[in-house]
Amino acid sequence: MSVQTFTTASTVEEAIAAVAAGARPVAGGTDLVVGARTGKSTMPESVVAIHRVAELHGVESLADGGLRLGALASHAEIAASGDVRKRFTALSDASAIVGSHATRAQGTVGGNLMNASPAMETGGPLVVLGATATLRSPSGTRSVAVEDLWTGPGKTSAAADELLVGVEIPAPAAGTGSAYLRLEYRRQMEIAVVGASAAVAVADGVVTEARVAMTALSATIRRIPEAEATLIGSDGGSAAIDAAGAAVAAASTPISDVRGSADYRRAMAAVIAGRAIETALSRAREENA
Amino acid sequence: MKVAATLNVNGISYPVDLDPGTNLLTAVRDVVGLTGSKEGCDDSECGACMMLLDGQPVNACSYLALQAEGSAITTVEGLADGDTLAPLQAAFLDLGGVQCGFCTPGMLVSATALLADNPDPTEDEVRIGLSGNLCRCTGYDGIVKAVLSVAGSS
Ligand SMILES: Cc1cc2nc3c(=O)[nH]c(=O)nc-3n(C[C@H](O)[C@H](O)[C@H](O)COP(=O)(O)OP(=O)(O)OC[C@H]3O[C@@H](n4cnc5c(N)ncnc54)[C@H](O)[C@@H]3O)c2cc1C
Ligand code: FES
Ligand code: FES
């Protein structure tokens, strides 16, 4: 490691000033520091630790029914939240399976999103739950839909001087259920071979809203409108789910790597998407019951 | 350029001078001088370096030591009460949780965090809770039995 300058920010303003001056933020370090140790990347010369900034912490249920996550909310905190489990279930599913106990304790949602891996766990759930990310720089604050945050593997649309301060999820429509699941070769310490997120609303037995996003199937996590269209207006039965799975497979552009060939990923995408949609639907029906 | 900092390990404050990129494991082993925590993989795969930061587990090999300033750091040396082993340590010895011993400091620290979080885990929860710790000797059975034997007793 070749870090030359290390500071610890105690306020958001200090963190932003340091980032604007060229320092790289480090939260839990489970991507930044680990990446450098495995040789995938090198440590930045200048680092600002943001983990002590109180305003960037927290998982907060909002009065309007939405949810606010501080950038530093850890996977462990998110997975332990009863409100996230109940109303933003896909996110709870995702945070609960990140890495190991230690990864979840130190790793943050902000680091997960800004690391911009197409295989990241929390990205898909936040996309289908309609979340927006809040970015701050010395010149102001702006919001961006989480799905517009990534421009490629490891790349975000955030400017070099922008700090992610938090993520907001709007109140889900009545009768919404959501789910995230990944194809994995073992249960823990795993990276998604393929992951699927679904959020659906059901009213009077009819699917009124559907969002489906795929993880590790293209350069960035993205929604599959063709799959969503097959679900909306349907009864959410097996024919509609199969059609959605087929649409997902058709729209995917996977890579071949040591974890799976492109053909295998495409075939499994349909299966995993189908299971995520089915789980989301059954959760939505429980909400209706 | 070295940075002066204070690391609080097992309740004792140690003044240290560190290169800013130093990882917590190196700082604790080589600068503080507590060598119980081990280096296995050096990149967050094996858990041999596991410590607690304010009670939460951390892969110390992959954590910047300067980020730990201001936190209570716990290593395996902090688990016993003087010469009296913690119940978990005694159970590891009694139930075959230790063979070569290389994974043991990290296992004990992870198991301590697991039980603090979930005092009465199922076997499945123990296995999942320890999945960030690799052991190439025991086959895990003795370790899991040892953790279960003290579970629910606190
Ligand atoms: C053993 C292991 C297992 C893992 N398993 C999984 C897994 O199952 N699923 C998964 O998705 N990930 C996994 N990860 C990756 C990682 O743990 C997560 O992505 C985690 O959420 C990263 O958060 P962090 O706070 O540690 O990020 P850091 O490493 O601190 O930061 C990551 C990147 O984001 C930037 N950054 C951090 N915070 C901000 C901010 N507020 N504003 C702007 N930029 C910021 C940093 O500069 C850096 O580029 C694993 C990692 C390890 C080591
Ligand atoms: S040495 Fe740190 S996890 Fe292996
Ligand atoms: S006892 Fe040898 S690695 Fe676990």
Side-chain angles (χ1 to χ4, degrees):
Chain A
M1 288 193 217
S2 62
V3 181
Q4 303 297 320
T5 321
F6 176 97
T7 57
T8 302
S10 46
T11 63
V12 180
E13 288 70 25
E14 276 174 31
I16 290 166
V19 170
R24 189 75 173 275
V26 60
T30 62
D31 275 316
L32 188 70
V33 182
V34 174
R37 298 201 79 70
T38 57
K40 263 192 281 185
S41 54
T42 52
M43 279 302 285
E45 256 185 48
S46 175
V47 171
V48 56
I50 59 174
H51 64 309
R52 305 274 181 213
V53 179
E55 302 150 80
L56 297 180
H57 280 273
V59 174
E60 193 190 342
S61 304
L62 303 174
D64 65 2
L67 186 82
R68 183 187 168 278
L69 303 170
L72 293 173
S74 70
H75 297 294
E77 280 172 81
I78 293 170
S81 158
D83 193 34
V84 177
R85 182 85 229 144
K86 180 161 178 10
R87 299 192 303 129
F88 307 94
T89 318
L91 178 62
S92 184
D93 290 344
S95 279
I97 58 172
V98 170
S100 68
H101 196 180
T103 324
R104 292 190 291 278
Q106 307 302 333
T108 64
V109 67
N112 203 216
L113 293 178
M114 296 305 284
N115 194 57
S117 160
M120 83 180 82
E121 238 68 70
T122 63
L126 289 171
V127 165
V128 297
L129 293 168
T132 52
T134 306
L135 298 163
R136 262 182 72 178
S137 73
S139 44
T141 302
R142 72 183 174 105
S143 288
V144 53
V146 166
E147 57 189 308
D148 297 329
L149 194 56
W150 312 297
T151 52
K155 293 197 174 69
T156 73
S157 57
D161 66 348
E162 282 183 318
L163 187 75
L164 177 74
V165 292
V167 176
E168 266 195 41
I169 311 178
T176 294
S178 67
Y180 170 75
L181 58 94
R182 69 183 176 192
L183 175 63
E184 51 193 8
Y185 298 141
R186 51 180 186 179
R187 281 172 63 197
Q188 292 271 300
M189 299 288 283
E190 181 58 306
I191 301 170
V193 185
V194 167
S197 306
V200 295
V202 175
D204 302 324
V206 175
V207 179
T208 53
E209 276 185 24
R211 287 185 297 276
V212 176
M214 296 303 293
T215 299
L217 259 197
S218 46
T220 58
I221 293 169
R222 59 183 187 84
R223 281 172 66 179
I224 312 289
E226 301 87 337
E228 298 172 354
T230 66
L231 293 168
I232 294 171
S234 79
D235 62 353
S238 57
I241 294 174
D242 288 350
V248 164
S252 61
T253 52
I255 57 163
S256 288
D257 68 8
V258 63
R259 309 185 54 73
S261 68
D263 285 347
Y264 178 68
R265 281 203 164 90
R266 197 174 294 111
M268 288 306 105
V271 175
I272 296 297
R275 285 185 200 161
I277 293 164
E278 208 170 326
T279 308
L281 281 166
S282 79
R283 288 172 176 167
R285 291 187 188 110
E286 276 166 35
E287 283 301 300
N288 276 291
Chain B
M1 203 187 66
K2 296 220 189 235
V3 179
T6 305
L7 294 180
N8 185 295
V9 189
N10 303 325
I12 300 172
S13 290
Y14 297 89
V16 291
D17 276 320
L18 299 173
D19 283 321
T22 308
N23 66 72
L24 180 60
L25 181 63
T26 304
V28 169
R29 283 182 56 91
D30 298 356
V31 185
V32 171
L34 292 173
T35 55
S37 312
K38 302 300 181 227
E39 180 186 304
C41 64
D42 200 27
D43 62 14
S44 279
E45 292 290 331
C46 75
C49 63
M50 200 69 75
M51 298 182 190
L52 303 182
L53 273 187
D54 297 322
Q56 297 299 315
V58 63
N59 292 111
C61 68
S62 308
Y63 195 79
L64 293 174
L66 292 176
Q67 280 196 270
E69 190 172 27
S71 289
I73 302 161
T74 308
T75 67
V76 68
E77 289 94 339
L79 301 184
D81 181 6
D83 285 339
T84 310
L85 294 181
L88 195 60
Q89 291 173 301
F92 266 60
L93 289 177
D94 290 346
L95 294 168
V98 181
Q99 285 187 27
C100 81
F102 196 83
C103 70
T104 312
M107 283 288 180
L108 286 167
V109 167
S110 281
T112 301
L114 166 70
L115 291 173
D117 227 36
N118 180 359
D120 200 6
T122 62
E123 175 174 345
D124 209 40
E125 287 168 341
V126 172
R127 289 187 183 273
I128 288 178
L130 296 180
S131 61
N133 293 80
L134 303 183
C135 172
R136 35 185 249 175
C137 303
T138 64
Y140 300 98
D141 234 50
I143 293 171
V144 173
K145 286 201 180 93
V147 177
L148 287 170
S149 79
V150 299
S153 61
S154 51

